[in-house]
Amino acid sequence: MSEQIEKIKQLIKTATNSKQKAMYQDLLVKLESESDEQPPSPAKPPSPAKPILKSKKQQAASSSPPPEPAETAAPDDASGEAAEPSQELSDASSESEGTEPSADEPKTDAYFQGIGIIQGEVTLTEEESTVRLGNVQYPLFYLPNKRRYAYEALKKEIETTGNSTQRLIVYPKILHFPKKDQPHKVAFQLVGFIGSQASASQLNNELKDGEFKFSGLWQFIPVCRFPCITVLRNFNQERLTWIKQAEAPQKVKFMKASHIPLLWRDSPVKPFRFNPKLKKEQQAQTYFVQVKARFLPERDVFEFIEQFHEPIKEAPGFLKASKKLKAEALKVLSAAKQLEESTADES
């Protein structure tokens, strides 16, 4: 009834002549009188609010990890509720469904991470920077666009104090090769340093020199003889938005996983090992682990110290490039290389 009354009121306003307007007014009076004569209907009880069901990625993104530098010009980790990914991202991360721990597992603010503190003799040059740990010298690099300020600050600290032995906050970067018997190589990405005037921090309190925090998937990979903790990109809305706009090679580079070789002889769960003879649903369980480890320079491997939390079956949300996206990126890079070569030949 109220909808009809409102419609009549609108017709009165738009009436083109007095006769038409009078007719609508009479009809309005009649409808209003009929409405007054009807007893009011009992108020309808409010229906219970429906729970908002978040996707697995949304659940994981509701507990955002602390910021970490990106490997490209993509956004760092940031808080914000994650939306459902587009089909483009679904193709890129079809293997990366993450969820919160189930009810029978310990609840933790889990996220992927690989960071630590090393102390060594630092050599900084524009051509190549290194850090010496024991008798081994390792490449030390930084992200030119986003993390050069850490490099410049470290350089100034060495010049001011005259001390080239520094405590560095780093990400370990492991380069694996296609042949399993070919040993991997270790490098470190500079995040920051603990200088002479540095105040206490959570990381500094948690870790000693040579110690690292690792959170990731405990598994074997085909190109490494050691089991690894695989650190993937944490999922959040800001990164999702950036990935939608990026080119395939940028996506693959940004979502590249880091496989950290770890000696953990008495691990409470076995590292996942893919069995090509079994179907997907028959494969062994992959566990998400959170541990402290120390780096062994003489072996280029990490050694387990302790667990921060018990292993859980379901990992937090992450981003991972699919085989399809990797193939697309390779195609783009190959085409660009051919174009560059042809241009060079013409010149």
Side-chain angles (χ1 to χ4, degrees):
M1 182 71 73
S2 58
E3 292 180 0
Q4 292 177 330
I5 292 174
E6 289 299 320
K7 288 181 180 180
I8 296 300
K9 289 181 178 179
Q10 291 298 323
L11 290 172
I12 292 174
K13 293 179 181 179
T14 58
T16 57
N17 55 65
S18 57
K19 185 176 179 182
Q20 189 179 61
K21 186 174 183 179
M23 180 183 69
Y24 289 144
Q25 286 176 336
D26 292 340
L27 183 58
L28 176 62
V29 172
K30 182 179 179 182
L31 287 173
E32 286 179 339
S33 62
E34 290 177 355
S35 176
D36 292 339
E37 292 174 358
Q38 293 178 355
S41 58
K44 185 178 181 180
S47 58
K50 295 182 180 179
I52 300 175
L53 300 178
K54 298 182 181 180
S55 67
K56 294 179 179 180
K57 291 185 178 66
Q58 286 176 313
Q59 292 173 345
S62 62
S63 177
S64 297
E68 64 176 80
E71 292 183 4
T72 65
D76 290 347
D77 273 334
S79 61
E81 189 176 8
E84 277 294 317
S86 65
Q87 185 60 41
E88 179 184 24
L89 181 60
S90 297
D91 292 339
S93 59
S94 59
E95 302 170 43
S96 62
E97 290 295 328
T99 63
E100 290 184 337
S102 60
D104 58 344
E105 294 172 346
K107 296 287 185 178
T108 62
D109 294 331
Y111 53 87
F112 288 87
Q113 185 181 43
I115 193 169
I117 298 174
I118 57 176
Q119 183 177 36
E121 184 181 351
V122 178
T123 302
L124 299 179
T125 66
E126 289 296 330
E127 294 76 25
E128 182 184 23
S129 297
T130 61
V131 56
R132 180 176 292 277
L133 304 178
N135 297 321
V136 187
Q137 203 163 20
Y138 293 95
L140 179 68
F141 66 97
Y142 62 94
L143 298 178
N145 296 332
K146 304 194 69 177
R147 293 294 166 179
R148 186 176 176 88
Y149 70 84
Y151 171 88
E152 295 294 347
L154 178 59
K155 185 178 179 180
K156 185 175 181 181
E157 174 77 9
I158 294 174
E159 292 173 350
T160 302
T161 63
N163 184 12
S164 60
T165 300
Q166 296 288 331
R167 301 182 68 205
L168 310 179
I169 302 172
V170 294
Y171 295 151
K173 295 297 177 181
I174 315 299
L175 178 61
H176 294 279
F177 298 94
K179 295 182 179 179
K180 189 175 182 179
D181 57 350
Q182 187 176 3
H184 59 266
K185 290 187 177 181
V186 178
F188 296 99
Q189 178 183 321
L190 179 66
V191 179
F193 66 96
I194 304 171
S196 55
Q197 304 298 320
S199 56
S201 67
Q202 182 178 353
L203 187 69
N204 196 12
N205 291 334
E206 287 182 344
L207 301 177
K208 299 177 182 177
D209 293 345
E211 294 183 348
F212 286 75
K213 295 172 64 175
F214 294 130
S215 302
L217 305 178
W218 180 225
Q219 62 182 356
F220 280 99
I221 62 172
V223 294
C224 185
R225 62 190 183 93
F226 298 103
C228 297
I229 291 183
T230 296
V231 180
L232 297 160
R233 282 287 181 182
N234 292 297
F235 177 90
N236 66 30
Q237 176 62 45
E238 189 177 4
R239 288 181 170 178
L240 170 63
T241 302
W242 180 84
I243 286 174
K244 287 180 180 179
Q245 302 170 354
E247 299 293 332
Q250 290 178 305
K251 293 178 182 180
V252 171
K253 184 178 180 180
F254 179 68
M255 293 189 284
K256 185 178 180 180
S258 182
H259 305 284
I260 314 296
L262 178 69
L263 298 177
W264 189 2
R265 295 180 179 85
D266 300 320
S267 59
V269 292
K270 291 182 178 181
F272 170 81
R273 190 192 295 269
F274 177 75
N275 187 340
K277 296 180 180 180
L278 299 178
K279 296 180 180 179
K280 184 177 181 180
E281 59 272 12
Q282 296 174 323
Q283 297 290 339
Q285 175 67 50
T286 305
Y287 287 90
F288 180 84
V289 298
Q290 301 171 80
V291 305
K292 180 192 291 187
R294 67 172 59 89
F295 180 58
L296 305 178
E298 65 277 8
R299 300 184 63 182
D300 279 354
V301 72
F302 295 82
E303 182 180 51
F304 171 82
I305 298 177
E306 65 175 317
Q307 289 189 105
F308 290 113
H309 300 282
E310 290 296 318
I312 57 178
K313 293 181 179 179
E314 298 182 26
F318 58 85
L319 299 168
K320 179 182 177 183
S322 66
K323 292 180 180 179
K324 179 181 177 182
L325 181 61
K326 289 178 181 178
E328 181 185 346
L330 184 61
K331 186 176 179 180
V332 172
L333 292 174
S334 298
K337 185 177 180 180
Q338 290 177 0
L339 179 61
E340 184 180 348
E341 290 175 350
S342 62
T343 304
D345 292 340
E346 292 175 359
S347 60

